[in-house]
Amino acid sequence: MTNSALLHPSSTDDIEPPRELRARNPRSGEIDYVVTPPTPAEVTALAASLREGQRPWRDLGLSGRIAALSAWADAIERDVARIARAEGTDTARVRVSSEVPYMVAAAVRDWCAKAPALIDAATLEGRSSVMSDVTYTTQFEPYGLLGIISPWNHPFLLSSTDAIPALLAGCAVLVKPSEVTPRFIEPVMSTIRSVPELASVFAYIPGAADVGQAVIDNVDALCFTGSVSTGRLIAAACASRFIPAFLELGGKDAAIVTATADVASAASAILKGSVHNTGQLCFSTERIYVDRTIYEPFVAELVRQSESLELSYPDPTHGHLGPFILERQAEIVDDHLRDAVVRGATILTGGTSVELGGGRYMRPTVLVGVDHSMRVMTEETFGPVMPVMPYESIDEAVELANDSEFGLSGAVISGSAEESDAVARRLDAGAISLQDTSLTIGIMRDVEKVAFKASGLGGSRMGPAGLLRFLRKKALILRTGPVVSMEALAEHNRPV
């Protein structure tokens, strides 16, 4: 968002100079984007303005909100090129960034199509099972202002994932994306401003932790997607205000490959799940457990397929792996690899990151000789790294996969869907892909799943709950018969 799109105080001599947010270009390594975030006072003023717009937005009714959001989907598709260019610079991705605006527009239309039936199904009416002359009905009341703090690995997609159903529910929404990827904000805000009803209740603002704290201080509920460490801080801040926090946090996804699996197909699925988006996805495959009887041919095939992939350098439209979005993330992944090697692991292909043209790149990296004493097997790596460990029995594989503080998702690949299903039912994670990896993205609005352990808190963002969690449920209770008096209650309760 440019400075002109923010609220600014009047110019006086005693006002502090604007605080600049400087963004690094992940492909060139240069600082090539500067924006001034709002002050806490400006966030408070913007939040008050969004709250003022929320009641008319709620009173539009579901059909009116659907019409406004459908108009926004049209506006996104009219401005695909500008959004894609901005996010493409934020993330150094070309193909994915060109697809994301269409994905968001499709999500808007799909939620709009599903919302009426979801709300109807959740609306309960009936008669008390205890008092025959008492009936009840449900009223839904949206949270007034929802705050969203979203991550850098998928800026537009993940910042809109919670915003769309919340807006349909009748909330106003204030989004603070990661300070690492701020360029996409202005083109997205341009599409929002093109729909007047939406512009009064929906805004993106740039900023770092201080702006995030100001958002928390001014909203009625908060959605956060990001690391476990930051999620703990945000949960505590929300608890201090006694507001709900919906947290989608990190992962350390395990994949189990059984003895009956097709080696080439399993290696292809694991490679895709591990290195897509340079491994910068919360549901990336980060631990691979393979039956010892097929371990050696599997590793050989995984190395062969890994070495066929190319870096998207120097041509960003060519190749398979772009640079790390965040330079610090490359350093974290390098540290995990060095720690593993020191503790006895062997890198068969790939290795630590390299600088090319100012960006930090890493080839698909396969490690063997790994165990759970190594950070690469226990901490979130968030890079294109594939540590492979053999197991002797399914019981051991399940024990290894569950030996983690994380429980976001996982995968099982075997010779049959039935075998994979039987193993998957024993895993402690919220979404298990069978016969492939990273299938969670395909069911976002269809079925609920929750994060296990430290991978999240606060209910599902998927399926019906993705909408209904933004609606507080009020029971309206009617007595149809005469009021029961105190005398009657006393008579009823008199001992025999």
Side-chain angles (χ1 to χ4, degrees):
M1 186 181 296
T2 59
N3 293 349
S4 61
L6 298 174
L7 300 167
H8 283 277
S10 302
S11 177
T12 63
D13 292 339
D14 60 351
I15 290 179
E16 294 182 3
R19 302 162 304 129
E20 290 183 338
L21 176 63
R22 302 165 64 83
R24 173 183 173 272
N25 185 313
R27 191 167 288 278
S28 70
E30 298 176 354
I31 303 298
D32 63 3
Y33 187 84
V34 179
V35 65
T36 302
T39 65
E42 290 168 343
V43 174
T44 297
L46 176 58
S49 175
L50 295 174
R51 282 186 185 282
E52 188 175 344
Q54 187 268 332
R55 286 195 176 276
W57 174 252
R58 180 200 64 181
D59 294 343
L60 271 179
L62 182 58
S63 61
R65 296 193 293 274
I66 287 173
L69 283 163
S70 298
W72 183 46
D74 295 340
I76 291 170
E77 291 185 339
R78 287 194 300 269
D79 216 359
V80 163
R82 195 155 70 103
I83 297 170
R85 277 196 305 272
E87 189 183 271
T89 305
D90 275 331
T91 63
R93 295 190 296 248
V94 176
R95 181 186 59 80
V96 173
S97 293
S98 69
E99 294 171 349
V100 164
Y102 292 109
M103 294 170 67
V104 174
V108 171
R109 295 191 177 104
D110 194 33
W111 271 120
C112 287
K114 287 180 163 66
L118 291 177
I119 293 174
D120 282 349
T123 302
L124 301 179
E125 295 182 341
R127 185 173 297 277
S128 166
S129 58
V130 177
M131 302 177 182
S132 61
D133 63 344
V134 170
T135 63
Y136 57 85
T137 187
T138 306
Q139 178 189 350
F140 292 113
E141 187 67 28
Y143 289 101
L145 179 59
L146 174 73
I148 295 175
I149 300 176
S150 59
W152 48 261
N153 59 322
H154 251 300
F156 189 22
L157 185 64
L158 291 180
S159 66
S160 65
T161 297
D162 297 312
I164 295 164
L167 288 162
L168 272 171
C171 306
V173 176
L174 178 58
V175 184
K176 189 210 81 70
S178 169
E179 64 273 21
V180 176
T181 52
R183 298 168 183 84
F184 82 106
I185 294 176
E186 178 51 37
V188 168
M189 278 303 301
S190 179
T191 63
I192 293 171
R193 288 191 292 264
S194 73
V195 184
E197 300 93 339
L198 193 60
S200 66
V201 292
F202 188 23
Y204 280 69
I205 52 174
D210 60 330
V211 176
Q213 181 61 61
V215 170
I216 294 171
D217 290 341
N218 284 279
V219 298
D220 301 310
L222 187 96
C223 292
F224 170 75
T225 305
S227 69
V228 173
S229 57
T230 304
R232 292 184 191 277
L233 297 174
I234 285 177
C238 290
S240 72
R241 291 203 55 235
F242 217 68
I243 63 172
F246 304 105
L247 309 177
E248 183 85 2
L249 306 178
K252 189 68 182 175
D253 284 14
I256 294 175
V257 181
T258 76
T260 61
D262 178 84
V263 168
S265 178
S268 178
I270 295 296
L271 180 62
K272 173 195 66 177
S274 300
V275 309
H276 179 65
N277 197 34
T278 314
Q280 299 166 116
L281 292 170
C282 56
F283 52 79
S284 288
T285 300
E286 295 205 356
R287 299 177 288 145
I288 303 137
Y289 303 103
V290 181
D291 188 282
R292 189 174 292 280
T293 61
I294 63 166
Y295 175 75
E296 290 188 4
F298 173 86
V299 169
E301 179 65 18
L302 186 61
V303 168
R304 186 192 70 78
Q305 291 189 25
S306 296
E307 291 179 343
S308 71
L309 301 187
E310 300 178 23
L311 302 178
S312 62
Y313 179 85
D315 181 358
T317 65
H318 178 75
H320 305 89
L321 282 81
F324 284 95
I325 297 170
L326 179 63
E327 187 174 27
R328 172 61 184 144
Q329 192 60 46
E331 296 168 358
I332 291 170
V333 180
D334 286 349
D335 286 346
H336 283 200
L337 291 176
R338 293 188 189 103
D339 172 77
V341 170
V342 166
R343 295 175 184 273
T346 301
I347 297 175
L348 299 182
T349 188
T352 54
S353 66
V354 296
E355 183 173 320
L356 299 171
R360 294 283 291 272
Y361 293 79
M362 180 177 285
R363 290 198 53 78
T365 299
V366 178
L367 292 89
V368 294
V370 296
D371 60 45
H372 283 211
S373 72
M374 302 171 185
R375 295 172 63 196
V376 76
M377 295 297 284
T378 57
E379 299 178 16
E380 187 170 32
T381 303
F382 225 60
V385 176
M386 292 163 281
V388 190
M389 185 174 175
Y391 66 82
E392 303 294 340
S393 68
I394 290 296
D395 286 346
E396 182 188 9
V398 170
E399 182 179 356
L400 288 167
N402 288 340
D403 180 24
S404 174
E405 69 169 323
F406 299 97
L408 190 64
S409 44
V412 182
I413 302 173
S414 71
S416 71
E418 293 76 16
E419 180 185 358
S420 291
D421 182 88
V423 177
R425 290 176 183 276
R426 300 173 63 185
L427 299 182
D428 297 334
I432 311 297
S433 298
L434 308 182
Q435 308 300 75
D436 201 348
T437 59
S438 305
L439 296 179
T440 309
I441 194 69
I443 56 157
M444 285 294 292
R445 296 176 296 279
D446 300 314
V447 62
E448 295 176 17
K449 69 96 181 172
V450 296
F452 286 33
K453 305 179 183 177
S455 285
L457 190 68
S460 178
R461 75 189 328 175
M462 298 170 59
L467 169 66
L468 297 175
R469 63 179 172 157
F470 301 120
L471 291 167
R472 293 166 292 181
K473 300 174 180 66
K474 185 189 300 183
L476 304 178
I477 311 163
L478 171 66
R479 182 181 289 280
T480 58
V483 173
V484 178
S485 67
M486 282 298 297
E487 290 79 3
L489 284 175
E491 182 66 27
H492 178 74
N493 291 327
R494 182 173 297 166
V496 176

